[in-house]
């Protein structure tokens, strides 16, 4: 019988340290058949398994059209992620996926995009940005707004500079606190919104980051009459199965693992902003 | 519809024997450790004959009843959940070979065709919710499915309600309506049997028993009606999802922060709760692991832990999650409430918190604010 | 992953205790030999090897700290160990012997000794974590050997394991133990006690007496109020809380409150002989 | 003697004993001038912390005095408590308490032989080390130990600080299927237990006869386990209530464990004393096997203690089998006793020797006073006496290491359980 809980063996084919506690792994199923059948959309995630520890949900950051490449960018926060960080090329781990509903990259075609990221290296939004930039012709103006705690948190500076070179792309950066050399802004991400040249009816907002930041962005975008169904975010909850069975990722009537992790505001409005839901 | 037949009380053993010879292991209710539990049943005298249950919030006692009936009790400590969604089982195993490669193995469940005697209407309603959850999604659960498919269910229509029962309020009882193979109505002199499936009918035919009389059928109906009338607990008029979700900041939740132990008993005895935790067990040399799932509860802080925070960090949040999910958001997920009215969460709450009482307060006049 | 690691080094240290938690290792049976093959046991006085100052990966510490010399020894253990894991109620919460913390232990000693003068006891029996940083605490009086082994295994693969701190009740339910509180009215501490023992008391049809310490976010006040409403005396409630894990909050605070409401303890009546 | 040596020998931490102790020897002019068995386990003041507690709390607390013999403590306490209540447990309860107690002997003795004592005789410093050369013997020992644990677990849920004992009986009676499985296991290992006796008897056992008084219980013609009268091979025969009239406990400044004297003399308790005083109560078949080893009891050689333990393991296993033959689950696992105020005594044969308790209860069953005399403190004086004699005979001109090793071996004969010995004593001595 097909057991959907069971991971498959995967191999690390490349690894890259982004910062001291952020790293990327490129994985490949060792079974070529499984690998060749693997398809995903940006915003979906995999379950990564280290034997004797646990499985953890991790977003896929590679481009879905780069068939056969499965990339993850992971922050070492606890035991499993730290041990993932110790993997070397050739090491084996368990992998299953992809799961969940990704970003509405097709629905959002022909609209302006506002992509807001809080915290650094928020994996789901990086994959989204890379995706839309590569298919820039399908979208209107693209505003990328990134907020971090401290200016020294910024990674991938080159990447921002690269993004800035695209036509019709604007990159806005801000830090809660910064040092003297910080060339960008200080303060919350919402400070940029007045300068955004967007048509609320023709804009899709997509964001990922701490729930507090997302709340502020939602509030602001609603003031600007962006419809709730065009405000999207990627949510995080505890997950053990990723199949909608274990019940741990519930958020109101939603199972984040299968109904999300990407939701629009209207879907979550009844639960939005209440502590402990 | 199949005709209803009558099995004299003294011949009940022949039903057990018939099921056995049809290849089933037989499971039935019996008294153990001051409660009624399901366990392997060989002889009719293992049944709780002449035993009844007295239930109240936080209280369960067995007593002698006036009758010699076998099913003169309302609900036991558990529904049949432990037989389909088992409390602890291995989902799969992995092994690391000396060359560093990893292999994964399925752990097959060993099931035997099993007939369960004494399944109540509420238990059946709960089972059908679990069938929906575990078998009908995009990823059917092979372990659940296999256990579920090995069951032969013999329902018993309730003729007595405990003080904590409220299945009339949820519409799930006291008469079992679907999801069983055979149903029993117990009269003082014996049982009315009705088949709901072909294999149920086979068993009846094998028993070679007569039709029940109209009078017997009427008496059974009256008994079931009586059970319905005994029920006192009610629910606010549904659907409740909107009412409960909009009660999210109701001050009542705070009182539950003080009263609720967050022990999770209500969720563990609830026949529809399905939350799990998955844990890894590892051999001493680190080469073999078992990935195990076990019952878990939204009352445990771990349940909503993500790195660095517990989302439902207060007891009040967790009580709110339980009640709002069970009676409210369940509607969107499953097309119906998650409550089947068995009353177990009221009885088995060590401090006797009563969901019907809480709902009454929480749903009063909040909808159209 | 890299499998060619050197054998991890382990020590088992003892402080004030009954030795029962070390038995988690000595009672492993033949698995003890497998463990000895997997790790280097450098210090474990009861089992043989003695090297108190060895540098180790994992130091298991049993027992509470009762003397200033023990406190010093403990600090050295911390310096020499990558992970310090406390095993059992004494190490984790001061143990049953910490009941003396609530009394004038000088008076207790005087009641027993001809010459209490040369006693060098610290005023309190202290949990290890009051003195040094502890990486993982395993509760229980005694610890559950399977839990100790599971933690050891996890650490050996480099994983800091998660210890389930939820109430005993969930384990009761997983094992299909009928709740003794609801079905028999017994004053079970299970709802506020950390799981780990396998619910052995309810399984034996007795009420849990909290030897695994408080569950996470234990609502002791709700449970004890419930006990009181069902006829338990304040003194009995206090004793229930102030027992094996008397120094652990919220047992300690709540226990002292109930104690202050209770009638005084009966004192020795010379009439009875 | 040409070498009239003067000097000091220290064993700062005794290995392979339960609890923490040290040995200091001062030699002057070729004689032992001073010999101190120092015990520096901090006192845990159990007798005080029992005051005011319910009988069940007493039973659960005293287990915590010793992780290796909690059953001894619980069964002694419950016997004392039931005697105050003037309550006699049902035959089933009496039999099963004896079975549970047998479990503890098996567990504790197997642990002692294999993990603590035997490595000495074969020149290893630990059981895992010994297992490299003697894998079958060590594994057999660990299996026997686990049988002891299984028996305790059957009645108490776990083998350390079990939770099944209560006044009036047990909380829960194991069902017949559980007992059947347990019996099977014991049965399957009986031969191994017999082989163990033979094996232990062949270890290089030093010759070292000394004179001492053996004190034990005597239990109505049965081999004593969970009750009886206190007897000695010097003619003592008293009821347990009269213990304090004949035995005296005294404090020594260098140790946290009290010493005890019988008529002002050191005495021996434990397996060797038990077997010396009760040899004829062992099953005839077992006595034949003992005869076959060539070792005779009563024995004056303390190194025969280990043989005595092996014999008692076999005895305890066969006794457990005998008592569970035709086992049926009783209608009730306990009878609720009626509480009464009063004083009562309990005395049983813990693995290490007689364990004596006295309690005074009020009419609500709360403890007003408690007094506990564990076996190890009873052996303290005897141990020092033995050490002086046997080290002198061994030769004080031997190297420090040899003397140290021999000293530890002698101490291990008593299987001292230091943590329990000190539960009510002062702390003073220093770790070096
Ligand atoms: C849909 C989704 C996508 C994610 N994508 C990424 C990503 O691309 N990169 C990245 O670095 N992180 C991602 N995370 C977060 C990541 O899963 C957690 O950081 C990780 O589980 C922490 O495990 P740990 O053992 O290192 O930490 P610990 O804090 O030690 O966690 C212990 C255990 O708690 C559970 N747990 C803790 N945090 C989470 C969490 N956030 N979600 C689910 N379970 C949790 C796990 O069972 C974990 O093993 C994602 C989370 C979700 C839900
Ligand atoms: S409602 Fe009752 S049973 Fe449920 S968690 Fe709270 S105290 Fe426990
Ligand atoms: S017996 Fe005790 S631990 Fe078990 S469910 Fe009941 S209250 Fe909880
Ligand atoms: S049930 Fe309670 S008292 Fe009993 S062993 Fe478990 S934690 Fe300890």
């Amino acid at each position: 019988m097909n057991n959907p809980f069971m991971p498959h063996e995967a191999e690390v084919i490349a690894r890259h340290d982004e910062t001291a506690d952020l790293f990327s792994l490129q994985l490949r199923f060792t079974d070529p058949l499984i690998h060749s059948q693997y398809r995903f959309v940006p915003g979906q995630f995999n379950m990564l398994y280290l034997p004797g520890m646990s499985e953890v949900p991790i977003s896929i950051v590679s481009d879905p059209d780069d068939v056969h490449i499965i990339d993850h960018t992971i922050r070492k926060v606890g035991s499993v992620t730290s041990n993932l960080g110790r993997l070397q090329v050739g090491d084996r781990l368990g992998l299953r996926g992809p799961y969940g509903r990704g970003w509405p990259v097709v629905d959002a075609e022909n609209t302006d995009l506002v992509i807001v990221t809080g915290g650094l290296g928020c994996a789901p939004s990086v994959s989204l940005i890379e995706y839309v930039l590569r298919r820039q012709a399908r979208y209107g103006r693209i505003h990328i707004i990134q907020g971090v705690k401290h200016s020294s948190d910024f990674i991938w500076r080159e990447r921002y500079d690269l993004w800035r070179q695209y036509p019709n792309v604007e990159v806005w950066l801000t830090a809660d606190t910064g040092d003297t050399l910080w060339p960008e802004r200080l303060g919350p991400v919402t400070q940029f919104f007045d300068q955004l040249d967007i048509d609320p009816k023709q804009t899709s907002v997509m964001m990922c980051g701490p729930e507090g930041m997302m709340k502020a962005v939602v509030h602001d975008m609603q003031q600007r009459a962006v419809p709730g169904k065009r405000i999207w975010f990627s949510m995080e909850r505890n997950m053990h199965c990723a199949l909608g069975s274990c019940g741990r990722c519930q958020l109101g009537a939603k199972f984040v693992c299968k109904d999300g992790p990407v939701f629009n505001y209207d879907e979550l409005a009844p639960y939005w902003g209440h502590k402990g839901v | 519809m199949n005709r209803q037949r009558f099995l004299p009380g003294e011949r009940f053993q022949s039903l057990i024997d018939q099921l056995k010879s049809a290849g089933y292991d037989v499971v039935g209710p019996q008294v153990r450790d001051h409660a009624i539990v399901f366990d392997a049943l060989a002889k009719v005298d293992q049944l709780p004959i002449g035993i009844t249950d007295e239930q109240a919030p936080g209280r369960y006692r067995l007593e002698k009843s006036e009758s010699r009936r076998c099913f003169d009790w309302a609900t036991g400590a558990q529904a049949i959940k432990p037989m389909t969604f088992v409390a602890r089982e291995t989902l799969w195993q992995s092994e690391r070979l000396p060359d560093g490669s990893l292999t994964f193995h399925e752990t097959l469940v060993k099931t035997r065709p099993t007939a369960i005697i004494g399944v109540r209407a509420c238990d059946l309603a709960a089972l059908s919710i679990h069938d929906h959850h575990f078998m009908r999604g995009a990823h059917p659960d092979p372990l659940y499915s296999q256990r579920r498919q090995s069951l032969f269910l013999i329902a018993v229509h309730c003729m007595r309600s405990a003080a904590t029962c409220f299945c009339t309020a949820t519409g799930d009882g006291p008469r079992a309506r679907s999801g069983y193979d055979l149903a029993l109505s117990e009269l003082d002199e014996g049982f009315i049997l009705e088949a709901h499936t072909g294999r149920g009918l086979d068993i009846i035919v094998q028993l070679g028993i007569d039709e029940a009389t109209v009078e017997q059928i009427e008496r059974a109906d009256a008994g079931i009606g009586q059970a319905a009338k005994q029920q006192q607990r009610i629910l606010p008029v549904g659907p409740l999802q909107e009412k409960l979700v909009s009660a999210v900041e109701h001050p009542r939740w705070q009182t539950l922060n003080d009263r609720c132990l967050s022990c999770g008993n209500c969720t563990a005895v609830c026949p529809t709760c399905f939350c799990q935790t998955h844990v890894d067990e590892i051999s001493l040399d680190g080469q073999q692991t078992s990935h195990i799932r076990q019952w878990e509860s939204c009352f445990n802080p771990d349940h909503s832990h993500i790195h660095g925070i517990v989302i439902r960090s207060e007891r009040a949040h967790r009580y709110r999650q339980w009640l709002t999910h069970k009676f409210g958001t369940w509607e969107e997920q499953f097309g119906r409430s998650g409550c089947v009215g068995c009353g177990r969460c009221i009885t088995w709450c060590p401090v006797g918190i009563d969901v019907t009482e809480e709902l009454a307060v929480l749903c009063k006049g909040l909808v159209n604010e | 992953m890299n499998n060619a690691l050197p054998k991890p080094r382990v020590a088992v240290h003892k402080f004030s205790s009954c030795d029962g938690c070390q038995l988690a290792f000595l009672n492993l049976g033949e698995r003890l030999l497998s463990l000895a093959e997997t790790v280097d046991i450098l210090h474990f006085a009861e089992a043989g090897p003695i090297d108190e100052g060895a540098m180790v990966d994992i130091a298991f510490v049993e027992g509470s700290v009762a003397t200033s010399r023990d406190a010093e020894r403990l600090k050295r253990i911390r310096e020499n160990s990558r992970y310090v894991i406390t095993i059992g109620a004494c190490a984790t919460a001061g143990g049953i012997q910490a009941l003396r913390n609530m009394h004038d232990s000088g008076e207790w000693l005087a009641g027993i000794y001809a010459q209490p003068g040369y006693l060098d006891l610290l005023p309190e029996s202290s949990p290890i974590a009051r003195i040094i940083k502890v990486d993982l605490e395993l509760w229980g009086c005694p610890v559950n050997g399977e839990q100790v082994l599971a933690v050891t295994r996890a650490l050996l693969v480099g994983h800091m394991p998660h210890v389930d701190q939820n109430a005993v009740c969930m384990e009761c339910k997983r094992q299909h133990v009928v709740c003794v509180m609801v079905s028999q009215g017994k004053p079970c501490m299970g709802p506020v006690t950390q799981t780990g023992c396998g619910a052995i008391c309810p399984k034996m049809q007795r009420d849990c007496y909290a030897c695994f310490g408080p569950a996470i976010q234990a609502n002791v006040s709700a449970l004890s109020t419930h006990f009181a409403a069902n006829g338990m005396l304040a003194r009995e409630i206090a004793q229930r809380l102030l027992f094996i894990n008397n120094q652990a909050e919220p047992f300690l605070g709540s226990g002292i409150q109930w104690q202050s409401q209770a009638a005084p303890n009966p004192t020795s009546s010379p009439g009875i002989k | 003697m040409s070498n009239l040596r003067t000097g000091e020998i220290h064993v700062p931490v005794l290995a392979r004993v339960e609890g923490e102790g040290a040995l200091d020897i001062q030699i002057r002019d070729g004689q032992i001038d001073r010999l101190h068995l120092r015990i520096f386990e901090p006192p845990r003041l159990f007798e005080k912390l029992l005051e005011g507690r319910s009988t069940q709390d007493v039973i659960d607390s005293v287990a915590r005095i010793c992780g290796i013999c909690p059953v001894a403590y619980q069964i002694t306490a419950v016997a004392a408590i039931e005697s105050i209540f003037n309550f006699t447990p049902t035959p089933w309860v009496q039999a099963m308490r004896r079975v549970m107690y047998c479990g503890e002997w098996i567990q504790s003795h197997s642990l002692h032989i294999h993990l603590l004592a035997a490595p000495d005789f074969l020149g290893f410093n630990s059981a895992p080390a010994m297992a490299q050369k003697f894998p079958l013997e060590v594994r057999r020992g660990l299996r026997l130990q686990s049988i002891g644990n299984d028996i305790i677990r059957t009645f108490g849920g776990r083998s350390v600080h079990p939770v099944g004992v209560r006044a009036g009986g047990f909380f829960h009676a194991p069902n017949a299927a559980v007992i059947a499985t347990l019996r099977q296991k014991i049965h399957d290992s009986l031969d191994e237990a017999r082989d163990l006796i033979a094996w232990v008897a062949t270890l290089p056992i030093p010759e070292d006869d000394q004179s001492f008084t053996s004190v034990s219980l005597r239990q109505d013609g049965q081999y004593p386990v969970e009750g009886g009268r206190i007897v000695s091979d010097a003619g003592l025969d008293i009821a347990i209530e009269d213990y304090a009239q004949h035995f005296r406990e005294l404090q020594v400044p260098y140790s946290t464990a009290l010493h005890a004297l019988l008529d002002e003399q050191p005495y021996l308790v434990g397996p060797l004393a038990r077997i010396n005083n009760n040899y004829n109560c062992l099953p005839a078949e077992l006595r034949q096997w003992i005869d076959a080893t060539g070792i005779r009891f009563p024995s004056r050689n303390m190194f025969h203690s280990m043989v005595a333990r092996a014999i008692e393991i076999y005895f305890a296993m066969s006794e457990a089998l005998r008592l569970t033959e035709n086992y049926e689950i009783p209608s009730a696992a306990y009878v609720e006793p009626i509480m009464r105020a009063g004083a009562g005594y309990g005395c049983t044969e813990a693995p290490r020797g007689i364990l004596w308790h006295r309690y005074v209860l009020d009419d609500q069953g709360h403890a007003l006073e408690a007094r506990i005399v564990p076996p190890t403190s009873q052996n303290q004086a005897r141990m020092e006496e033995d050490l002086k004699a046997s080290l002198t005979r061994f030769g004080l001109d031997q190297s420090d290491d040899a003397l140290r090793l021999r000293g530890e071996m002698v101490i291990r004969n008593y299987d001292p359980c230091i943590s329990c010995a000190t539960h009510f004593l002062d702390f003073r001595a220093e770790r070096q």
Side-chain angles (χ1 to χ4, degrees), chain A residues 46-115:
Chain A
N46 285 326
M47 294 299 279
L48 271 56
Y49 172 67
L50 288 178
M53 304 184 197
S54 136
E55 287 187 293
V56 291
I58 301 290
S59 308
I60 310 154
V61 296
S62 37
D63 192 295
D65 287 351
D66 289 344
V67 233
H68 313 329
I69 294 184
I70 308 172
D71 273 343
H72 293 291
T73 296
I74 303 167
R75 173 172 313 287
K76 296 178 202 168
V77 293
S79 179
V80 181
T81 46
S82 301
N83 277 291
L84 284 168
R86 293 194 189 106
L87 295 182
Q88 299 300 326
V89 171
D91 285 345
R92 311 295 172 92
L93 72 163
L95 182 66
R96 59 189 176 93
Y99 297 113
R101 180 175 69 165
W103 296 110
V105 283
V106 176
D107 275 10
E109 285 179 9
N110 302 319
T111 66
D112 289 342
L113 301 183
V114 178
I115 300 175

Side-chain angles (χ1 to χ4, degrees), chain A residues 13-248:
Chain A
I13 49 176
R15 61 152 297 142
H16 176 64
D17 284 308
E18 312 283 351
T19 68
D21 63 354
L22 199 68
F23 62 97
S24 295
L25 293 179
Q26 196 169 100
L27 305 178
R28 179 174 60 203
F29 288 104
T30 50
D31 181 337
L33 185 68
I34 297 176
H35 198 81
S36 67
Q37 289 172 348
Y38 185 87
R39 295 283 180 282
F40 68 93
V41 294
Q44 280 194 302
F45 65 97
N46 285 326
M47 294 299 279
L48 271 56
Y49 172 67
L50 288 178
M53 304 184 197
S54 136
E55 287 187 293
V56 291
I58 301 290
S59 308
I60 310 154
V61 296
S62 37
D63 192 295
D65 287 351
D66 289 344
V67 233
H68 313 329
I69 294 184
I70 308 172
D71 273 343
H72 293 291
T73 296
I74 303 167
R75 173 172 313 287
K76 296 178 202 168
V77 293
S79 179
V80 181
T81 46
S82 301
N83 277 291
L84 284 168
R86 293 194 189 106
L87 295 182
Q88 299 300 326
V89 171
D91 285 345
R92 311 295 172 92
L93 72 163
L95 182 66
R96 59 189 176 93
Y99 297 113
R101 180 175 69 165
W103 296 110
V105 283
V106 176
D107 275 10
E109 285 179 9
N110 302 319
T111 66
D112 289 342
L113 301 183
V114 178
I115 300 175
V116 190
T117 316
L120 55 159
C122 187
S125 62
V126 173
S127 64
L128 172 69
I129 294 167
E130 300 281 358
Y131 179 94
V132 297
L133 290 181
R134 285 213 206 170
R135 298 157 184 80
Q136 207 214 353
R138 301 184 198 164
Y139 303 95
R141 293 196 64 78
I142 300 174
H143 305 272
I144 298 169
I145 304 172
Q146 166 119 40
V148 291
K149 276 217 176 67
H150 189 268
S151 59
S152 61
D153 287 348
F154 268 103
I155 52 160
W156 301 325
R157 293 230 183 187
E158 317 101 85
R159 237 184 259 201
Y160 295 122
D161 291 339
L162 209 73
W163 292 345
R164 276 184 169 133
Q165 287 162 20
Y166 283 86
N168 283 331
V169 172
E170 275 173 279
V171 179
W172 316 71
L173 303 177
T174 181
D176 290 348
T177 53
D179 51 45
T180 43
L181 293 176
W182 177 241
E184 316 273 352
R185 297 277 274 273
L186 292 176
V189 289
T190 41
Q191 65 177 303
F192 299 115
F193 293 176
D194 281 340
Q195 300 160 45
L196 297 183
D197 174 21
I198 55 165
D199 171 2
K201 286 180 202 60
Q202 283 305 313
T203 298
S204 301
V205 183
M206 301 188 204
M207 65 190 113
C208 121
E211 284 189 25
M213 176 218 82
M214 297 203 286
K215 276 169 199 161
V217 175
V218 167
H219 181 78
D220 198 292
M221 288 298 161
Q222 283 185 304
Q223 305 279 297
R224 289 165 208 277
V226 176
K229 65 177 192 321
R230 286 199 176 280
I231 305 174
W232 298 85
F233 25 74
S234 182
M235 297 298 292
E236 184 175 334
R237 283 293 181 273
N238 187 308
M239 299 178 179
H240 280 188
C241 73
L243 307 170
S245 173
C246 76
R248 303 179 72 99

Side-chain angles (χ1 to χ4, degrees), chain C residues 14 18-19 23 26-27 30 45-46 52 108 113 118-120 141 206 209 235 239 242-243 268 272, chain D residues 16 18-19 41 52-53 60 64 67 116 143 145 149 158 163 366 369 419 424-427 431:
Chain C
K14 178 196 149 66
C18 77
D19 282 31
L23 287 181
L26 299 183
N27 274 338
E30 298 185 57
E46 190 168 332
E52 223 171 60
W108 273 24
Y113 300 108
Y118 38 57
L119 305 182
D120 172 29
C141 183
R206 74 174 285 192
Y209 57 93
R235 171 172 182 278
Q239 287 195 340
L242 302 176
F243 196 32
S268 190
I272 309 166
Chain D
R16 283 179 285 126
E18 285 113 21
E41 281 270 343
R53 291 280 167 176
D60 292 328
R64 270 76 189 179
L116 312 184
R143 272 197 299 280
Q145 185 186 343
N149 284 324
R158 63 183 170 202
V163 301
H366 297 123
E369 286 172 42
S419 358
F424 51 89
L425 295 173
D426 68 315
F427 176 78
R431 173 178 290 276

Side-chain angles (χ1 to χ4, degrees), chain B residues 204-262:
Chain B
I204 294 193
V205 170
Q206 297 293 324
L207 284 172
I209 46 175
D210 297 335
E211 284 180 16
T213 65
V214 173
E215 185 274 336
Q216 281 174 321
I217 294 170
E218 280 172 3
R219 230 173 337 121
D221 288 347
I224 298 166
Q226 172 75 13
K229 271 187 236 124
Q230 282 168 351
Q231 296 188 8
Q232 283 146 22
R233 287 185 157 70
I234 53 164
L235 292 174
V237 180
L240 296 182
Q241 174 161 337
E242 205 192 324
K243 292 186 188 178
L244 282 166
V245 169
S246 57
V248 59
E249 302 291 352
H250 200 293
R252 183 75 176 184
W253 302 118
Q254 264 316 308
T255 68
L256 287 148
N257 201 53
D258 302 335
R259 289 166 63 209
C260 173
L261 303 168
S262 208

